[in-house]
Amino acid sequence: MGRKKAYDRDELLVGAVEVFREHGFARTTTQMLVDRLGVNRFSLYAEFENKLGLYDAALEAYDESIVGRRFGPLERPGAGLAEVRELLEFYGAAADGPAAGKGCLLCNTAVEFGPDDPIGTGRVDRYLDRLEEAFSAALTNAQQAGDLPASVNVAREASFLTASVLGLFVMIRARAPDARLKNAAAAALAHLEGLG
Amino acid sequence: MGRKKAYDRDELLVGAVEVFREHGFARTTTQMLVDRLGVNRFSLYAEFENKLGLYDAALEAYDESIVGRRFGPLERPGAGLAEVRELLEFYGAAADGPAAGKGCLLCNTAVEFGPDDPIGTGRVDRYLDRLEEAFSAALTNAQQAGDLPASVNVAREASFLTASVLGLFVMIRARAPDARLKNAAAAALAHLEGLG
DNA sequence: TAGATATCTGAACGTACGTTCAGATATATT
DNA sequence: AATATATCTGAACGTACGTTCAGATATCTA
């Protein structure tokens, strides 16, 4: 059947996500990818077609793994205010975490590419919808559990939390000081808890 | 003394800001700039040294004109809650405005370049400080005017408002639906007014 | 009006980078 | 073992784009 692949596709994507988060799409060269992933150009192109194909695959992997890890808890049936709190506290403390200087790959993509979407897979749009919907579901659950008054406008607060998280992502990417992140997250949380 | 310049430096920068806001730095070509600004390559290089020099000048012009127009009111001695409200309402309605699909050039720069700052002029850092400080000053004034309790943690709310605005910028860049922007801005404002 | 000096024109240059390919190498099947 | 098939290697290619330059053009001073 021929020779075995010397690389693992998923491991390649983990590395690609890292490099693209650090340098963005345009400023990442194929040479950087070859070096950091320890794979050959040929294999990279055989597996992902071209640089944009690799980027799109990286976005998909990022959405599944990283976004899934952070927002998945909010999307589960029993989720409520506790999950929102944990999320905000996590990003509020991200100045020292692995995302420092990197931010969120999908948020970065939204800004670098703008509304043009040259990839054409609509991943950014679906990502924004996903965040909003995750917050919306958790807040609705909280209402039904009696942790949030029925009078609260869930759609409004979900959009608000989405914007807050995006703002934190920009700050994390820009290596804003720890206190600034902590403060911003704490105030957003205080707002939510002040609704009760 | 020689021939007169056929261009006006400030007009050039207005156009450059526009193009860079639409396409970012890397995806903007010198050809696009020549076409849109109606100036020749030679003059562009004579005036700004190179593409990065033009970008830096565009950042400076943007900071002075656009940022100045929006955040200047917050920085004036008498500013208070009213100015914060007007700012949030403005960006909450930006889905139909001239910034739609563009966002904020300095926020975009923070994300596209990340913490590397290849320009080396620290404009992004100073921009983030400026936003935070503008909010901080207005909130402090509001406290002294009795519009905001002395117990409010001004630094915390200033960081929060900065993050909110950055989040709105990302949404505006991504052409998020009007309702989402309006909601996010309204909730941030409600939070502020709920402190009193 | 003449000369000097600065800007304009657009074609050309150099290079960095995305992409490709022919030859080499390894593994699976028979 | 022999053959077939798939992957690996690294050098080479093509091109898009930032940058430069020599010749042309306009405007200022005297």
Side-chain angles (χ1 to χ4, degrees):
Chain A
M1 270 290 276
R3 187 168 167 174
K4 265 199 223 158
K5 292 181 179 177
Y7 61 86
D8 176 70
R9 183 187 158 98
D10 290 342
E11 282 177 20
L12 251 48
L13 287 175
V14 169
V17 163
E18 223 174 69
V19 180
F20 282 130
R21 277 176 85 183
E22 283 173 24
H23 301 101
F25 177 77
R27 301 167 59 78
T28 296
T29 66
T30 55
Q31 189 58 49
M32 291 165 70
L33 291 162
V34 165
D35 292 345
R36 287 277 295 267
L37 309 193
V39 71
N40 255 275
R41 267 193 179 68
F42 177 89
S43 307
L44 218 49
Y45 278 83
E47 187 73 42
F48 301 104
E49 186 100 23
N50 54 30
K51 190 185 172 189
L52 215 49
L54 172 58
Y55 194 72
D56 189 52
L59 285 183
E60 184 179 19
Y62 180 83
D63 192 45
E64 284 171 8
S65 67
I66 315 280
V67 180
R69 186 177 312 137
R70 291 300 149 216
F71 288 85
L74 288 183
E75 294 163 336
R76 283 200 270 276
L81 288 188
E83 280 73 20
V84 177
R85 182 180 304 116
E86 197 181 350
L87 184 91
L88 286 173
E89 281 168 355
F90 176 81
Y91 286 125
D96 305 316
K102 302 205 198 91
C104 167
L105 182 60
L106 276 155
C107 173
N108 294 353
T109 303
V111 173
E112 178 170 357
F113 288 93
D116 298 343
D117 191 7
I119 309 178
T121 47
R123 289 200 194 284
V124 169
D125 284 347
R126 275 181 281 137
Y127 163 71
L128 294 176
D129 289 345
R130 181 182 185 179
L131 296 200
E132 183 118 349
E133 181 55 33
F135 284 124
S136 183
L139 294 181
T140 301
N141 291 344
Q143 276 186 328
Q144 286 168 356
D147 293 335
L148 209 62
S151 60
V152 166
N153 184 334
V154 168
R156 195 175 84 160
E157 301 303 328
S159 292
F160 162 75
L161 288 168
T162 303
S164 295
V165 165
L166 291 174
L168 290 174
F169 288 158
V170 173
M171 284 185 168
I172 293 166
R173 173 88 167 123
R175 282 197 192 283
D178 183 60
R180 211 171 272 186
L181 281 167
K182 274 203 163 43
N183 278 339
L189 191 56
H191 165 66
L192 205 60
E193 300 188 329
L195 297 173
Chain B
M1 269 292 275
R3 188 170 167 174
K4 264 199 225 158
K5 292 181 181 180
Y7 61 87
D8 176 67
R9 182 188 160 98
D10 289 343
E11 282 177 20
L12 252 47
L13 287 176
V14 169
V17 163
E18 225 176 66
V19 180
F20 282 131
R21 275 176 86 184
E22 283 174 23
H23 300 102
F25 177 77
R27 301 167 59 79
T28 296
T29 66
T30 56
Q31 188 60 50
M32 293 165 68
L33 291 163
V34 166
D35 293 345
R36 289 277 296 267
L37 308 194
V39 71
N40 255 275
R41 268 194 179 66
F42 178 89
S43 306
L44 218 49
Y45 278 83
E47 187 72 43
F48 301 105
E49 183 99 23
N50 53 30
K51 190 185 173 190
L52 214 48
L54 172 57
Y55 193 73
D56 189 52
L59 286 183
E60 184 178 19
Y62 180 83
D63 193 44
E64 284 171 7
S65 66
I66 316 279
V67 179
R69 186 176 314 135
R70 293 300 149 215
F71 288 85
L74 288 183
E75 294 164 333
R76 283 200 271 274
L81 287 188
E83 280 72 19
V84 177
R85 181 180 304 115
E86 197 181 351
L87 185 91
L88 285 173
E89 281 169 356
F90 176 82
Y91 287 124
D96 305 315
K102 301 206 198 91
C104 166
L105 184 60
L106 276 154
C107 174
N108 294 352
T109 303
V111 173
E112 177 170 358
F113 288 92
D116 297 344
D117 190 8
I119 310 176
T121 46
R123 289 200 196 283
V124 169
D125 283 348
R126 273 181 282 137
Y127 163 71
L128 294 177
D129 288 346
R130 180 182 185 178
L131 297 200
E132 183 117 350
E133 182 55 31
F135 284 125
S136 184
L139 294 182
T140 300
N141 291 344
Q143 276 187 328
Q144 287 168 356
D147 295 334
L148 208 62
S151 60
V152 166
N153 183 334
V154 168
R156 197 176 81 161
E157 301 303 329
S159 293
F160 162 76
L161 288 168
T162 303
S164 295
V165 164
L166 292 174
L168 289 174
F169 289 158
V170 173
M171 285 185 168
I172 293 166
R173 173 88 168 124
R175 282 198 193 281
D178 183 59
R180 210 170 272 185
L181 280 167
K182 274 201 164 41
N183 278 338
L189 191 56
H191 165 68
L192 206 59
E193 299 188 330
L195 296 174

